[in-house]
Amino acid sequence: MSDDLLRSVEAPVNENLPQLKPGDTVSVFIRIQEGTSERTQEFRGTVLRVRNGGNNANFTVRRIASNGIGVERTFLLNSPRLERVVVHRHSHVRRANLYFLRERTGKRARLKQKFT
């Protein structure tokens, strides 16, 4: 009975999401509500971490904004606001959480591309 109750509360799975891994360079398209209108905004960056927690599963993307300032944003995997995610490239990493990229800028922040 408790399994049925948990399934009824969980959000439906979003089919527009590919398999994400840390080190992937992705474009995340989010629906943003501004007053009465709605638009789609792209957030392009590197996946720092992926947390698989059932209904609370999320992933964090980091990009470098103007003047070299890093911006991180966390997205819920089952969010209805998440329109689609496009993976541009995969990188070779040896960590599950790429927090070391926070202190690095420029060439040192590059990740080696993984060809599959």
Side-chain angles (χ1 to χ4, degrees):
M1 181 176 150
S2 64
D3 292 336
D4 297 333
L5 183 63
L6 286 175
R7 277 193 216 103
S8 67
V9 176
E10 285 186 4
V13 178
N14 195 344
E15 292 86 20
N16 297 331
L17 299 179
Q19 183 68 33
L20 295 175
K21 294 180 182 176
D24 290 351
T25 302
V26 296
S27 288
V28 183
F29 294 90
I30 295 286
R31 280 194 292 269
I32 295 193
Q33 183 107 17
E34 292 178 334
T36 58
S37 64
E38 193 172 276
R39 67 181 177 89
T40 302
Q41 184 180 44
E42 179 184 7
F43 191 89
R44 183 172 179 157
T46 305
V47 176
L48 288 188
R49 72 175 189 176
V50 178
R51 297 190 73 184
N52 298 318
N55 208 22
N56 293 327
N58 60 41
F59 63 101
T60 302
V61 178
R62 178 181 175 86
R63 73 180 178 98
I64 303 299
S66 60
N67 297 329
I69 297 172
V71 177
E72 289 183 14
R73 191 160 175 197
T74 302
F75 302 98
L76 287 170
L77 281 173
N78 296 332
S79 173
R81 294 263 173 224
L82 203 59
E83 199 168 280
R84 71 183 193 272
V85 177
V86 178
V87 178
H88 296 288
R89 68 180 251 178
H90 301 285
S91 297
H92 177 73
V93 293
R94 297 170 64 180
R95 305 263 179 275
N97 298 321
L98 305 180
Y99 296 143
F100 66 90
L101 291 178
R102 291 175 176 167
E103 287 84 38
R104 296 188 181 187
T105 57
K107 241 181 187 182
R108 294 179 62 214
R110 290 187 191 166
L111 296 172
K112 194 171 192 178
Q113 186 171 358
K114 179 167 58 172
F115 298 100
T116 54

